[in-house]
Amino acid sequence: MEELRSRGVEATLPIVIVGHVDHGKSTLIGRLLYDTDSLPTDIMEEIEKSLKESDNPSEFAYITDHLEEERMEKMTIDTAQSFFKTDKRHYAIIDTPGHREFIKNMITGTSQAEAAILIVSALEGIEEQTKRHAYILGMLGIKQVILAINKMDLVNYSQNRFEELKCKLLSFLHSLEIKPNHAIPISARLGYNIAKAGGNMGWYNGPTIFEALDQLETKEDPVLKPLRFPIQDTYISDQKKILVGRVLSGKVQMGDEVVILPSKAKTRIESIEVYQNTKDVAEAGDSIGIVLQDDLAPKRGEVICHPQYSPEIKTRINANIFWMSYDPLQAKDQLTIRCATAEEHCHIERIEQRIDSSTLEIIENHSNILRETDVGKVTISIDRPMVLEDFNEIEGLGRFVLTRSGEICAGGIINSPISLYSECH
Amino acid sequence: MERLDELESKSIYIIREAYYHFKDIGMLWSIGKDSTALLWLCRKAFFGRIPFPIIHIDTGYKFPQIYSFRDKYSSEWELNLKIGRNEDAILEGICPHNNDKLKCCSELKTNALKKLIDKEGYMAILLGIRRDEHGIRAKERYFSPRDSQFAWDYKNQPPELWDQYKSESEDSTHIRVHPLLDWNELDIWNYIEREDIPFIELYRALDGKRYRSIGCQTCCEPIDSDAKDINSIIAELQATKTQERAGRTQDKEEAYMMQKLRALGYM
């Protein structure tokens, strides 16, 4: 019997479940946990006890709604994570709120995922947050999507209704360059087509949710990309100047010739330091310390690369940004751009297009404002040079956040995979 | 990358981010397995010499083994140890024997920390909480602001994406930093085993009982177990279906007690 606590040492695939409020996200998660026998006995007791006290009927959704208010209001407010395992691998499921007002929580959750289940109610159909969440999946570069058409029990398991919704959704997702891996008719409440087939859906012969999940692929290994080591800080230990940080991509080896950008200083790697030890080589994901051969003083935010594969440095970029602060962006706002460990002042030079993230319609060309949940196709002018790359080349240097007065208010992608000139409107 | 390496590497990154952005930070050490693992990660992050104080919130009702373990390793690892006690509340007679556990926890733990933060002016506090411990903790951010009353505004948390964290705290607030959020109980034990990290004896079975989660002596119940060494502890956890904190009174008194404690600033 496999369950929650037996997750061993192998990697976990983080998946996010998104969709409009009330289309069944939390119910699906409850069902996934239940069907994989991932619930500890005392969680069930805790839930039953709480339910008794609050006098609500028992539903799977309560398993993931941990806050008193969430159970009372029957909706998810913030991102939560839970875990399950199939025969093939371990999963972390990220539950996100479907309400428009909690969009920044939804983005926080989604940014940690490698794949998504987009859930749509067969009864209610495509709604505002269905589209906005789909857009955010595209913007955050999540390419693997499973479409779950839920509540099939409430539409008499109608194949026509399924096909109609599937067709509409595929055409919308196509405009976001998302090709779903599968579209699956389900009833999360009754457990049909989750772990096993069921209901009156003999017409469907595709995979269940679990089969579709097990077919997902894990992320491309960043070790195969060119070396990028963003400097996090400088420590002095035993009179050595150690540049600490985490290797973002590629590999670094003792003796390597390197260039530090944007200052363009060249030197070699004297040693790679970890606590009480040194290493000959470190690769993407490793938190290490680097001692350089020459006595240079590179700053936090600079990036150590191999000279033959070094990126351009930039003071001006074109990007798609997603505004998530309640206070709108005004064209003259003083902002800070943060990418990996670098941080510089910047401003929006121009907003070429202001786009509604739920319809993808252009609200305005050459705008001077972005409101909450708007997407802007913008040009950003940065006060000093930074290492910034195409998102499809080096993910970690192709995505950034903008802050205003210390608050993160936008996420952005350079050369976003989404074409904003979609055929959708 | 192997799971433990990935977890270790990300935690070290977060610890170093917290130190870079806030400098005036402290780490809460309950002497339990999680915060001892966090302490170990801090030692690794700073090549053996942690540049900030390690805080022990002492209710006066901890197990004797906790005090001896604390004193032994704080001297061996050359820690700058700060002890926080809410002496006023202790004098007022607030204690676990008076039937109000919520009040006891919030006075002797939360308010003891509050007083220490006021006195020392910490901008950020590192804590070894994990998402899988308790439902409410599944909602935490890596960097989570608390206001001057320590309240956690979980409805309106700042966005956190792509390793970009909230890096400024306003006056009269502090940031809770959670480097172990992605770890689970089994990861902690696997890591303790791999790194040979010392842990207190209470986790080992004695006369058929051991502690799985440790707090105050008055409010912890041991579980039935024959796990005397780390490998049998790991084997036991792989097979169990009971929650880790099942022996902790503060989680059980009433529905949502943990949520109420968290909203009041409990660790």
Side-chain angles (χ1 to χ4, degrees):
Chain A
M1 194 166 61
E2 290 292 346
E3 44 86 20
L4 176 74
R5 263 147 232 290
S6 67
R7 280 168 295 138
V9 286
E10 62 263 60
T12 299
L13 185 76
I15 56 167
V16 67
I17 304 204
V18 298
H20 197 82
V21 62
D22 259 351
H23 283 207
K25 292 186 295 296
S26 300
T27 310
L28 176 59
I29 292 169
R31 175 56 72 176
L32 292 172
L33 297 177
Y34 183 78
D35 284 359
T36 47
D37 199 15
S38 305
L39 296 167
T41 23
D42 49 346
I43 282 201
M44 285 310 292
E45 285 167 15
E46 183 195 343
I47 289 162
E48 277 157 18
K49 189 174 173 214
S50 298
L51 289 176
K52 226 178 275 167
E53 286 179 18
S54 59
D55 221 23
N56 272 323
S58 176
E59 274 190 31
F60 282 109
Y62 291 111
I63 293 167
T64 50
D65 289 341
H66 299 289
L67 303 174
E68 190 169 4
E69 286 163 88
E70 293 185 344
R71 288 186 193 169
M72 295 297 184
E73 294 172 25
K74 293 196 188 182
M75 66 180 193
T76 307
I77 293 166
D78 203 345
T79 300
Q81 292 194 13
S82 34
F83 310 89
F84 71 94
K85 183 184 185 303
T86 62
D87 290 340
K88 189 175 174 197
R89 66 175 152 226
H90 299 277
Y91 294 90
I93 350 178
I94 306 164
D95 184 18
T96 61
H99 268 275
R100 181 191 169 115
E101 57 183 300
F102 302 122
I103 201 81
K104 64 184 180 2
N105 298 345
M106 183 270 171
I107 291 176
T108 296
T110 307
S111 69
Q112 299 165 20
E114 285 180 33
I117 297 178
L118 175 62
I119 189 165
V120 186
S121 161
L123 192 66
E124 285 95 356
I126 300 169
E127 295 191 74
E128 184 189 345
Q129 302 310 317
T130 315
K131 292 185 172 182
R132 182 167 288 122
H133 285 189
Y135 180 84
I136 291 166
L137 294 180
M139 189 188 111
L140 297 179
I142 293 170
K143 299 266 165 81
Q144 303 193 87
V145 177
I146 295 167
L147 215 49
I149 315 277
N150 190 26
K151 305 193 189 177
M152 288 302 293
D153 50 313
L154 301 182
V155 297
N156 285 321
Y157 307 101
S158 157
Q159 183 177 8
N160 281 346
R161 178 60 177 158
F162 171 74
E163 295 294 342
E164 176 204 342
L165 267 176
K166 177 180 159 183
C167 187
K168 280 188 189 162
L169 278 161
L170 288 181
S171 114
F172 181 78
L173 293 173
H174 178 75
S175 66
L176 301 171
E177 291 179 20
I178 297 175
K179 291 185 194 72
N181 303 46
H182 297 285
I184 308 174
I186 63 167
S187 167
R189 198 169 63 89
L190 301 172
Y192 299 150
N193 287 339
I194 312 291
K196 51 186 188 301
N200 204 351
M201 292 185 279
W203 47 264
Y204 175 76
N205 47 26
T208 62
I209 293 284
F210 281 115
E211 287 163 348
L213 285 172
D214 283 348
Q215 287 172 25
L216 296 171
E217 282 161 18
T218 42
K219 223 185 220 167
E220 188 193 357
D221 195 345
V223 176
L224 305 170
K225 304 260 182 172
L227 168 69
R228 303 289 184 259
F229 178 79
I231 298 168
Q232 194 177 4
D233 208 344
T234 305
Y235 300 158
I236 307 293
S237 173
D238 294 334
Q239 281 137 30
K240 278 185 292 199
K241 191 190 285 175
I242 303 179
L243 307 173
V244 299
R246 193 166 42 158
V247 184
L248 197 61
S249 59
K251 280 185 184 180
V252 60
Q253 206 165 339
M254 208 172 78
D256 277 359
E257 188 187 359
V258 292
V259 60
I260 304 167
L261 296 173
S263 67
K264 295 183 185 162
K266 282 194 176 175
T267 181
R268 282 182 184 276
I269 305 289
E270 172 78 24
S271 63
I272 298 171
E273 308 273 331
V274 290
Y275 173 54
Q276 288 187 330
N277 217 338
T278 57
K279 291 173 91 160
D280 291 339
V281 57
E283 54 181 50
D286 291 341
S287 273
I288 52 163
I290 284 180
V291 177
L292 300 174
Q293 271 185 7
D294 301 287
D295 185 24
L296 303 168
K299 288 193 286 292
R300 173 180 160 101
E302 291 205 84
V303 182
I304 296 179
C305 313
H306 289 133
Q308 63 276 36
Y309 299 108
S310 70
E312 283 177 59
I313 51 179
K314 299 193 170 99
T315 52
R316 210 156 167 267
I317 49 165
N318 294 317
N320 292 328
I321 64 171
F322 186 93
W323 195 255
M324 51 184 154
S325 167
Y326 177 75
D327 299 313
L329 166 77
Q330 311 281 351
K332 296 278 172 262
D333 282 349
Q334 182 60 244
L335 304 170
T336 299
I337 178 169
R338 290 168 53 179
C339 177
T341 56
E343 181 169 338
E344 296 291 350
H345 291 304
C346 70
H347 66 273
I348 305 293
E349 195 176 291
R350 94 200 187 108
I351 303 172
E352 198 174 310
Q353 289 176 346
R354 175 176 160 224
I355 295 149
D356 181 326
S357 59
S358 69
T359 59
L360 296 197
E361 276 165 20
I362 297 171
I363 305 169
E364 198 178 8
N365 282 306
H366 306 293
S367 177
N368 50 20
I369 193 166
L370 282 184
R371 294 186 192 282
E372 192 177 18
T373 76
D374 283 351
V375 169
K377 192 173 160 59
V378 301
T379 303
I380 300 173
S381 173
I382 304 162
D383 289 7
R384 293 191 306 174
M386 268 177 98
V387 178
L388 290 161
E389 301 189 64
D390 186 318
F391 178 79
N392 290 308
E393 297 300 318
I394 307 284
E395 233 176 63
L397 290 169
R399 60 194 187 187
F400 58 86
V401 298
L402 297 175
T403 67
R404 188 177 53 188
S405 317
E407 303 290 336
I408 293 176
C409 48
I413 297 279
I414 302 165
N415 290 344
S416 163
I418 298 164
S419 153
L420 284 171
Y421 303 99
S422 64
E423 310 122 41
C424 196
H425 29 274
Chain B
M1 243 180 144
E2 210 218 275
R3 178 170 169 88
L4 286 181
D5 291 328
E6 201 176 332
L7 290 169
E8 176 189 70
S9 194
K10 182 165 184 181
S11 298
I12 289 176
Y13 184 83
I14 291 170
I15 292 163
R16 287 170 173 168
E17 281 299 277
Y19 180 63
Y20 174 81
H21 285 294
F22 299 109
K23 291 289 183 290
D24 283 329
I25 66 176
M27 192 211 101
L28 270 190
W29 187 28
S30 74
I31 334 286
K33 64 185 190 316
D34 301 303
S35 60
T36 305
L38 177 59
L39 184 56
W40 190 265
L41 287 160
C42 288
R43 297 180 70 229
K44 289 187 100 167
F46 300 102
F47 303 97
R49 194 167 285 269
I50 302 173
F52 46 78
I54 304 301
I55 301 163
H56 180 227
I57 297 300
D58 181 16
T59 59
Y61 294 96
K62 300 287 177 188
F63 293 89
Q65 293 90 330
I66 286 186
Y67 299 105
S68 52
F69 188 93
R70 177 189 77 189
D71 296 340
K72 176 171 185 223
Y73 287 100
S74 70
S75 107
E76 193 173 319
W77 293 338
E78 298 175 57
L79 306 178
N80 172 11
L81 186 73
K82 298 261 185 222
I83 296 169
R85 278 167 69 100
N86 188 352
E87 298 291 356
D88 298 340
I90 293 170
L91 286 176
E92 279 168 35
I94 291 169
C95 71
H97 310 296
N98 292 340
N99 254 349
D100 190 348
K101 306 270 189 208
L102 184 78
K103 186 167 186 190
C104 185
C105 266
S106 52
E107 283 301 327
L108 300 191
K109 289 187 184 172
T110 313
N111 284 339
L113 175 64
K114 212 178 267 187
K115 287 182 174 187
L116 192 71
I117 290 181
D118 284 346
K119 184 169 156 237
E120 304 283 339
Y122 301 125
M123 305 287 285
I125 299 287
L126 295 167
L127 274 101
I129 66 162
R130 313 187 323 264
R131 271 199 193 105
D132 76 324
E133 265 181 281
H134 192 281
I136 188 78
R137 290 185 171 173
K139 304 247 173 204
E140 276 288 3
R141 301 278 196 268
Y142 299 105
F143 283 58
S144 176
R146 294 294 191 275
D147 71 12
S148 56
Q149 296 309 304
F150 264 39
W152 177 34
D153 186 2
Y154 46 76
K155 259 188 159 175
N156 192 27
Q157 302 197 66
E160 195 166 73
L161 56 164
W162 305 326
D163 299 333
Q164 301 293 345
Y165 309 111
K166 180 153 175 66
S167 62
E168 288 174 34
S169 73
E170 293 86 39
D171 292 346
S172 79
T173 67
H174 72 279
I175 308 263
R176 298 273 175 95
V177 181
H178 304 131
L180 300 184
L181 217 48
D182 294 342
W183 297 58
N184 62 49
E185 188 184 11
L186 201 51
D187 295 326
I188 295 284
W189 283 112
N190 282 326
Y191 189 66
I192 288 173
E193 198 266 336
R194 184 182 93 171
E195 303 279 308
D196 202 14
I197 304 172
F199 60 92
I200 53 175
E201 291 299 310
L202 296 167
Y203 288 112
R204 294 181 205 269
L206 186 71
D207 302 329
K209 297 260 185 201
R210 73 172 194 94
Y211 289 90
R212 189 166 160 197
S213 175
I214 293 173
C216 291
Q217 189 163 15
T218 43
C219 298
C220 284
E221 289 294 329
I223 56 165
D224 293 332
S225 169
D226 291 316
K228 290 197 173 68
D229 59 45
I230 187 150
N231 289 317
S232 33
I233 292 175
I234 290 170
E236 179 191 281
L237 292 174
Q238 277 167 334
T240 185
K241 266 188 88 76
T242 328
Q243 283 199 94
E244 178 181 3
R245 296 177 65 91
R248 299 289 289 270
T249 322
Q250 77 234 44
D251 298 16
K252 310 195 98 182
E253 286 280 290
E254 52 179 307
Y256 307 118
M257 174 138 166
M258 190 65 175
Q259 180 180 342
K260 284 169 190 157
L261 279 168
R262 290 293 285 163
L264 291 170
Y266 181 73
M267 299 74 83

